[in-house]
Amino acid sequence: MDTNPTHSSLVALGDSFTEGMSDLLPDGTYRGWADLLAARMAARTPGFRYANLAVRGKLIRQIVDEQVDVAAAMGADVITLVGGLNDTLRPKCDMGRVRALLEEAVGKLAPACRQLVLMRSPGRRGPVLERFRPRMEELFTCVDELAARHGALVVDLYGAPSLADPRLWDVDRLHLTAEGHRRVAEAVWQALGYEPEDPEWHTPMPATLPPGWVMRRAADVRFARQHLLPWIGRRLTGRSSGDGLPPKRPELLPWQDLA
C-alpha cells in the first residue's frame, strides 16, 4: 500500500456492483462506488483518467472475455476487479471453473497496472446469503490466494458489519443503496493508502425499531413480484439483465470529460 499515493488513472471491471446499481441519479443513470472513488482520485490528480467496463449481470467468463484484455491494454495505474458472485448465485455453478477464470483474469491484470484491487463482496443478512454462503466464501478464499500470489490488494467488504445491514441494500436485495456505495468507495480509498474521510465506514448504523410483521410481509410480496420472479424468468430463459448493454465508460478518458 502506498503512503500519500498519487494515481493518474483507474479502470473498473465487473458486473452490476461495479456499474453502480442501485445508486440512481436523477437522470436515471447509476453512479456507484467506482464513480465516487474516481471523483475523489481526480480531485487529487490533474488529468486523472477513468474507465468503467462493468455491465450488469455479467458472469466471470464474460468479464474475462469482454473486459480483461481491454483493461490490461489501457495501462492504468489502478485496476479494480470484482466478479464471480453472479456465478455463485446460479443453481448450477462450477466453482473450479470460476476459480480458473479468476486466476486467468488476475494473471493478466496484475502485471498490467501499478495496483490491482480485488474484493470480498458484501453480503446482505438474510436467508439468501445463508443459502449461498459456502460458495461465496469459497470464492473469497480464491480471491485471497490470488491476491497473495500476485501482490493485489483485497478490500474485505464481506467482513464489514455495516454492509450486512439490510438498510444499506435496495428493495431488490441484490444491490447497495447510495449510502452503501459511499461506504464501499471509502473502503477502497483507504485500502489504496489515502487518508480516511470516514474512518468509521465499517461501523454499523445506529439501531432502529424493525418494521412490523405486516410491513415485512408486504415488502416480501413486492420483492417477489418486482424482482425475484423476473430474475428467475431470466435464469430459465438464459437471458441476462445486461444483454445488449455497452460498458458504462468504455474509454480511458480524462475525468473532466466524463463528469
PDB file of all heavy atoms in Angstrom, residues 3-18:
ATOM      1  N   THR A   3       1.953   5.236   0.603  1.00  0.00           N
ATOM      2  CA  THR A   3       1.728   6.279   1.586  1.00  0.00           C
ATOM      3  C   THR A   3       1.616   7.589   0.829  1.00  0.00           C
ATOM      4  O   THR A   3       2.480   7.917   0.024  1.00  0.00           O
ATOM      5  CB  THR A   3       2.883   6.328   2.593  1.00  0.00           C
ATOM      6  OG1 THR A   3       2.990   5.051   3.228  1.00  0.00           O
ATOM      7  CG2 THR A   3       2.617   7.387   3.648  1.00  0.00           C
ATOM      8  N   ASN A   4       0.572   8.367   1.089  1.00  0.00           N
ATOM      9  CA  ASN A   4       0.301   9.587   0.321  1.00  0.00           C
ATOM     10  C   ASN A   4       0.359   9.287  -1.186  1.00  0.00           C
ATOM     11  O   ASN A   4       1.177   9.847  -1.920  1.00  0.00           O
ATOM     12  CB  ASN A   4       1.312  10.677   0.674  1.00  0.00           C
ATOM     13  CG  ASN A   4       1.242  11.059   2.149  1.00  0.00           C
ATOM     14  OD1 ASN A   4       0.159  11.185   2.711  1.00  0.00           O
ATOM     15  ND2 ASN A   4       2.404  11.233   2.763  1.00  0.00           N
ATOM     16  N   PRO A   5      -0.488   8.401  -1.661  1.00  0.00           N
ATOM     17  CA  PRO A   5      -0.383   7.940  -3.047  1.00  0.00           C
ATOM     18  C   PRO A   5      -0.830   8.985  -4.065  1.00  0.00           C
ATOM     19  O   PRO A   5      -1.586   9.911  -3.748  1.00  0.00           O
ATOM     20  CB  PRO A   5      -1.329   6.732  -3.069  1.00  0.00           C
ATOM     21  CG  PRO A   5      -2.367   7.079  -2.044  1.00  0.00           C
ATOM     22  CD  PRO A   5      -1.630   7.795  -0.958  1.00  0.00           C
ATOM     23  N   THR A   6      -0.341   8.825  -5.263  1.00  0.00           N
ATOM     24  CA  THR A   6      -0.823   9.600  -6.402  1.00  0.00           C
ATOM     25  C   THR A   6      -1.094   8.623  -7.528  1.00  0.00           C
ATOM     26  O   THR A   6      -0.188   7.911  -7.970  1.00  0.00           O
ATOM     27  CB  THR A   6       0.220  10.641  -6.860  1.00  0.00           C
ATOM     28  OG1 THR A   6       0.479  11.551  -5.783  1.00  0.00           O
ATOM     29  CG2 THR A   6      -0.314  11.429  -8.057  1.00  0.00           C
ATOM     30  N   HIS A   7      -2.336   8.570  -7.960  1.00  0.00           N
ATOM     31  CA  HIS A   7      -2.715   7.684  -9.057  1.00  0.00           C
ATOM     32  C   HIS A   7      -3.287   8.516 -10.181  1.00  0.00           C
ATOM     33  O   HIS A   7      -4.139   9.373  -9.956  1.00  0.00           O
ATOM     34  CB  HIS A   7      -3.745   6.653  -8.585  1.00  0.00           C
ATOM     35  CG  HIS A   7      -3.253   5.768  -7.485  1.00  0.00           C
ATOM     36  ND1 HIS A   7      -3.719   5.847  -6.186  1.00  0.00           N
ATOM     37  CD2 HIS A   7      -2.309   4.782  -7.494  1.00  0.00           C
ATOM     38  CE1 HIS A   7      -3.092   4.945  -5.446  1.00  0.00           C
ATOM     39  NE2 HIS A   7      -2.244   4.284  -6.210  1.00  0.00           N
ATOM     40  N   SER A   8      -2.847   8.236 -11.386  1.00  0.00           N
ATOM     41  CA  SER A   8      -3.256   9.060 -12.524  1.00  0.00           C
ATOM     42  C   SER A   8      -4.416   8.458 -13.303  1.00  0.00           C
ATOM     43  O   SER A   8      -4.979   9.128 -14.178  1.00  0.00           O
ATOM     44  CB  SER A   8      -2.071   9.266 -13.475  1.00  0.00           C
ATOM     45  OG  SER A   8      -1.665   8.017 -14.026  1.00  0.00           O
ATOM     46  N   SER A   9      -4.795   7.197 -13.001  1.00  0.00           N
ATOM     47  CA  SER A   9      -5.855   6.560 -13.790  1.00  0.00           C
ATOM     48  C   SER A   9      -6.426   5.364 -13.048  1.00  0.00           C
ATOM     49  O   SER A   9      -5.747   4.714 -12.250  1.00  0.00           O
ATOM     50  CB  SER A   9      -5.323   6.130 -15.166  1.00  0.00           C
ATOM     51  OG  SER A   9      -4.131   5.370 -15.034  1.00  0.00           O
ATOM     52  N   LEU A  10      -7.684   5.067 -13.376  1.00  0.00           N
ATOM     53  CA  LEU A  10      -8.414   3.962 -12.754  1.00  0.00           C
ATOM     54  C   LEU A  10      -9.276   3.283 -13.807  1.00  0.00           C
ATOM     55  O   LEU A  10      -9.972   3.961 -14.576  1.00  0.00           O
ATOM     56  CB  LEU A  10      -9.312   4.496 -11.628  1.00  0.00           C
ATOM     57  CG  LEU A  10     -10.386   3.560 -11.058  1.00  0.00           C
ATOM     58  CD1 LEU A  10      -9.748   2.397 -10.303  1.00  0.00           C
ATOM     59  CD2 LEU A  10     -11.340   4.331 -10.140  1.00  0.00           C
ATOM     60  N   VAL A  11      -9.244   1.953 -13.837  1.00  0.00           N
ATOM     61  CA  VAL A  11     -10.140   1.172 -14.684  1.00  0.00           C
ATOM     62  C   VAL A  11     -10.863   0.167 -13.791  1.00  0.00           C
ATOM     63  O   VAL A  11     -10.221  -0.564 -13.028  1.00  0.00           O
ATOM     64  CB  VAL A  11      -9.387   0.424 -15.801  1.00  0.00           C
ATOM     65  CG1 VAL A  11     -10.350  -0.433 -16.609  1.00  0.00           C
ATOM     66  CG2 VAL A  11      -8.677   1.417 -16.718  1.00  0.00           C
ATOM     67  N   ALA A  12     -12.188   0.149 -13.876  1.00  0.00           N
ATOM     68  CA  ALA A  12     -13.005  -0.743 -13.049  1.00  0.00           C
ATOM     69  C   ALA A  12     -13.655  -1.802 -13.921  1.00  0.00           C
ATOM     70  O   ALA A  12     -14.227  -1.493 -14.973  1.00  0.00           O
ATOM     71  CB  ALA A  12     -14.076   0.067 -12.315  1.00  0.00           C
ATOM     72  N   LEU A  13     -13.563  -3.063 -13.488  1.00  0.00           N
ATOM     73  CA  LEU A  13     -14.157  -4.193 -14.211  1.00  0.00           C
ATOM     74  C   LEU A  13     -15.180  -4.883 -13.318  1.00  0.00           C
ATOM     75  O   LEU A  13     -15.027  -4.921 -12.104  1.00  0.00           O
ATOM     76  CB  LEU A  13     -13.094  -5.223 -14.586  1.00  0.00           C
ATOM     77  CG  LEU A  13     -12.075  -4.910 -15.668  1.00  0.00           C
ATOM     78  CD1 LEU A  13     -11.026  -3.937 -15.188  1.00  0.00           C
ATOM     79  CD2 LEU A  13     -11.379  -6.200 -16.110  1.00  0.00           C
ATOM     80  N   GLY A  14     -16.210  -5.466 -13.963  1.00  0.00           N
ATOM     81  CA  GLY A  14     -17.140  -6.246 -13.173  1.00  0.00           C
ATOM     82  C   GLY A  14     -18.553  -6.273 -13.704  1.00  0.00           C
ATOM     83  O   GLY A  14     -18.794  -6.165 -14.908  1.00  0.00           O
ATOM     84  N   ASP A  15     -19.487  -6.398 -12.772  1.00  0.00           N
ATOM     85  CA  ASP A  15     -20.912  -6.548 -13.091  1.00  0.00           C
ATOM     86  C   ASP A  15     -21.701  -5.379 -12.496  1.00  0.00           C
ATOM     87  O   ASP A  15     -21.175  -4.262 -12.405  1.00  0.00           O
ATOM     88  CB  ASP A  15     -21.407  -7.900 -12.590  1.00  0.00           C
ATOM     89  CG  ASP A  15     -21.034  -8.160 -11.125  1.00  0.00           C
ATOM     90  OD1 ASP A  15     -21.005  -7.198 -10.338  1.00  0.00           O
ATOM     91  OD2 ASP A  15     -20.769  -9.317 -10.761  1.00  0.00           O
ATOM     92  N   SER A  16     -22.941  -5.633 -12.071  1.00  0.00           N
ATOM     93  CA  SER A  16     -23.809  -4.558 -11.596  1.00  0.00           C
ATOM     94  C   SER A  16     -23.254  -3.852 -10.369  1.00  0.00           C
ATOM     95  O   SER A  16     -23.492  -2.658 -10.168  1.00  0.00           O
ATOM     96  CB  SER A  16     -25.202  -5.102 -11.286  1.00  0.00           C
ATOM     97  OG  SER A  16     -25.137  -6.131 -10.310  1.00  0.00           O
ATOM     98  N   PHE A  17     -22.514  -4.571  -9.532  1.00  0.00           N
ATOM     99  CA  PHE A  17     -21.935  -3.966  -8.335  1.00  0.00           C
ATOM    100  C   PHE A  17     -21.004  -2.821  -8.709  1.00  0.00           C
ATOM    101  O   PHE A  17     -21.024  -1.751  -8.102  1.00  0.00           O
ATOM    102  CB  PHE A  17     -21.182  -5.045  -7.548  1.00  0.00           C
ATOM    103  CG  PHE A  17     -20.416  -4.530  -6.368  1.00  0.00           C
ATOM    104  CD1 PHE A  17     -21.069  -4.007  -5.273  1.00  0.00           C
ATOM    105  CD2 PHE A  17     -19.032  -4.601  -6.344  1.00  0.00           C
ATOM    106  CE1 PHE A  17     -20.354  -3.535  -4.172  1.00  0.00           C
ATOM    107  CE2 PHE A  17     -18.313  -4.144  -5.256  1.00  0.00           C
ATOM    108  CZ  PHE A  17     -18.972  -3.609  -4.165  1.00  0.00           C
ATOM    109  N   THR A  18     -20.170  -3.034  -9.726  1.00  0.00           N
ATOM    110  CA  THR A  18     -19.224  -2.004 -10.160  1.00  0.00           C
ATOM    111  C   THR A  18     -19.873  -1.004 -11.100  1.00  0.00           C
ATOM    112  O   THR A  18     -19.461   0.161 -11.166  1.00  0.00           O
ATOM    113  CB  THR A  18     -18.004  -2.664 -10.821  1.00  0.00           C
ATOM    114  OG1 THR A  18     -17.390  -3.551  -9.868  1.00  0.00           O
ATOM    115  CG2 THR A  18     -16.985  -1.644 -11.273  1.00  0.00           C
TER     116      THR A  18
END
